C-alpha cells in the first residue's frame, strides 16, 4: 500500500486550531504523506506555528502568500506543488481519525474507484458533538453534486495517478464543488465511505451554514461556472436549498 499522499491545507488566521489539525495528520496509521500548508497572509501566529512544526517534521511544506487571495488560490498552489500519488484536503480547523488515509487508500484499492470520500462527525468549536453525524451516500454523480455537495474537502481523497491533477475554479465560494464536478464529468461517480473518518468543526461564524448568504454565489456558480440554463439552474437551486436545510437541521 505504498504511495505518497499529498495533504493540502489553506490557512488564514488559524493559529488556535493548527496544532490539533497537525496532530491528527501526524497520528495517521499511514506515514507516507506530505503536508502542504499555504498561508493566505495571516496576521496571527499561523506561520510561526507551522515553521515551529517544520523543525521536527520534514514532511511539512509551507507556502506563504504576501497578499490574501482566498482559499481557491491557496488550494491550487497546493495542488500544483503536490508530488503524491494521492491527493486530499483538510482545512486548518478540522481533524481526521487516525486511520483516515489508510482506510481511503484501501478503499480505492479494493473497489477500483479512484475518487472516494467519507462520512464525518460534526462538532462545535470545542469539539462537542452537538450535531448528528453526516453520513454520505454510497455514491454520487455529477448531477447529485449539483443538487447537494455531499463531498467535503475534509474527506475527499483522489488517486491522481489515475485521474490526474485538476484545479479549483477561481471563485469566492464553492471552489471545492467546482473541482469535484470536473472529475465527475469524466468518471461515473465518486464512492462514499459510510463510516465516519473525520471531525468537521462547525465554527460559530461558519459561512457554510449561512445558506441565505450563499444563494447568490450558488446561482452564479450554476450560471457562470457550469454554464447551466436558467431553467436547469432553478431546478438545481431548489434541490440545493431544501437539502441544505435538512443537512443542518440537527
Amino acid at each position: 500500500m505504498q504511495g505518497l499522499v499529498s495533504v493540502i491545507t489553506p490557512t488564514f488566521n488559524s493559529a488556535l486550531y493548527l496544532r490539533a489539525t497537525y496532530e491528527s495528520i501526524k497520528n495517521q496509521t499511514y506515514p507516507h504523506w506530505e503536508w502542504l500548508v499555504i498561508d493566505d497572509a495571516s496576521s496571527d501566529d499561523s506561520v510561526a506555528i507551522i515553521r515551529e512544526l517544520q523543525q521536527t517534521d520534514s514532511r511539512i511544506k509551507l507556502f506563504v502568500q504576501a497578499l490574501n487571495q482566498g482559499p481557491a488560490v491557496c488550494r491550487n498552489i497546493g495542488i500544483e506543488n503536490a508530488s503524491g500519488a494521492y491527493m486530499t484536503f483538510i482545512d486548518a480547523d478540522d481533524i481526521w481519525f487516525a486511520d483516515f488515509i489508510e482506510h481511503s487508500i484501501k478503499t480505492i484499492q479494493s473497489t477500483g474507484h479512484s475518487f472516494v470520500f467519507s462520512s464525518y462527525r460534526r462538532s462545535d468549536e470545542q469539539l462537542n458533538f452537538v450535531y448528528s453525524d453526516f453520513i454520505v451516500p454510497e455514491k454520487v454523480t455529477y448531477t447529485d453534486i449539483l443538487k447537494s455537495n455531499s463531498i467535503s474537502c475534509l474527506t475527499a481523497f483522489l488517486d491522481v495517478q489515475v485521474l490526474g491533477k485538476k484545479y479549483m475554479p477561481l471563485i469566492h465560494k464553492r471552489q471545492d464543488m467546482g473541482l469535484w464536478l470536473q472529475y465527475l464529468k469524466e468518471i461515473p461517480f465518486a464512492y462514499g465511505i459510510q463510516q465516519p473518518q473525520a471531525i468537521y468543526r462547525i465554527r460559530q461564524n461558519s459561512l457554510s451554514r449561512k445558506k441565505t448568504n450563499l444563494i447568490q454565489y450558488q446561482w452564479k456558480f450554476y450560471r457562470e461556472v457550469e454554464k447551466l440554463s436558467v431553467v436547469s439552474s432553478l431546478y438545481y437551486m431548489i434541490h440545493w436549498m431544501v437539502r441544505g436545510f435538512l443537512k443542518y437541521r440537527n
Side-chain angles (χ1 to χ4, degrees):
M1 195 174 61
Q2 295 296 317
L4 182 68
V5 177
S6 295
V7 181
I8 297 169
T9 299
T11 181
F12 177 69
N13 291 344
S14 302
L16 184 63
Y17 306 104
L18 273 169
R19 294 184 190 278
T21 299
Y22 167 68
E23 287 296 318
S24 82
I25 301 171
K26 185 185 72 171
N27 292 335
Q28 290 296 300
T29 56
Y30 187 86
H32 306 297
W33 50 262
E34 60 176 0
W35 188 28
L36 297 92
V37 183
I38 306 90
D39 185 80
D40 202 17
S42 292
S43 59
D44 66 359
D45 293 331
S46 293
V47 171
I49 289 170
I50 296 301
R51 284 179 173 155
E52 177 188 328
L53 295 173
Q54 280 183 303
Q55 295 177 12
T56 58
D57 197 329
S58 61
R59 295 172 293 182
I60 302 173
K61 300 179 180 180
L62 174 63
F63 304 83
V64 180
Q65 296 283 84
L67 299 173
N68 183 276
Q69 298 187 66
V73 170
C74 290
R75 290 192 181 109
N76 284 347
I77 290 172
I79 295 170
E80 182 179 1
N81 288 277
S83 54
Y86 303 97
M87 184 170 69
T88 187
F89 304 85
I90 185 171
D91 283 348
D93 55 355
D94 292 329
I95 293 173
W96 284 339
F97 294 163
D99 63 344
F100 166 72
I101 291 179
E102 180 178 357
H103 194 86
S104 298
I105 294 176
K106 284 183 175 179
T107 301
I108 286 175
Q109 294 178 342
S110 65
T111 64
H113 299 300
S114 300
F115 186 176
V116 302
F117 63 107
S118 304
S119 302
Y120 51 89
R121 303 202 69 186
R122 297 185 291 183
S123 76
D124 63 13
E125 294 183 62
Q126 289 73 43
L127 297 181
N128 300 306
F129 296 109
V130 295
Y131 304 98
S132 60
D133 295 350
F134 183 73
I135 306 301
V136 300
E138 292 184 1
K139 64 179 182 179
V140 293
T141 64
Y142 174 84
T143 55
D144 290 332
I145 294 299
L146 287 175
K147 294 176 182 177
S148 177
N149 184 16
S150 55
I151 303 176
S152 170
C153 254
L154 172 61
T155 66
F157 202 94
L158 298 146
D159 185 341
V160 291
Q161 291 183 118
V162 174
L163 298 175
K165 287 184 180 181
K166 297 184 185 297
Y167 294 86
M168 294 194 174
L170 297 179
I171 52 179
H172 190 53
K173 297 179 178 70
R174 328 311 286 160
Q175 314 94 4
D176 55 341
M177 181 178 177
L179 181 61
W180 314 149
L181 290 173
Q182 288 183 63
Y183 283 111
L184 289 170
K185 289 174 183 176
E186 298 182 358
I187 59 177
F189 59 86
Y191 182 85
I193 298 171
Q194 305 291 284
Q195 177 184 347
Q197 292 288 307
I199 300 173
Y200 172 55
R201 196 192 303 254
I202 300 176
R203 294 162 70 173
Q204 192 170 12
N205 63 346
S206 173
L207 289 175
S208 64
R209 299 204 66 206
K210 298 177 181 178
K211 293 297 180 184
T212 54
N213 295 338
L214 287 174
I215 289 174
Q216 60 178 317
Y217 295 103
Q218 191 74 14
W219 180 262
K220 186 175 181 179
F221 180 87
Y222 291 141
R223 297 286 289 135
E224 298 182 12
V225 178
E226 290 304 300
K227 309 295 184 184
L228 301 180
S229 68
V230 171
V231 173
S232 293
S233 297
L234 183 60
Y235 169 79
Y236 287 116
M237 177 67 80
I238 292 170
H239 278 277
W240 176 80
M241 292 175 67
V242 171
R243 296 185 186 197
F245 169 76
L246 294 175
K247 183 177 181 180
Y248 289 103
R249 65 179 177 176
N250 56 21

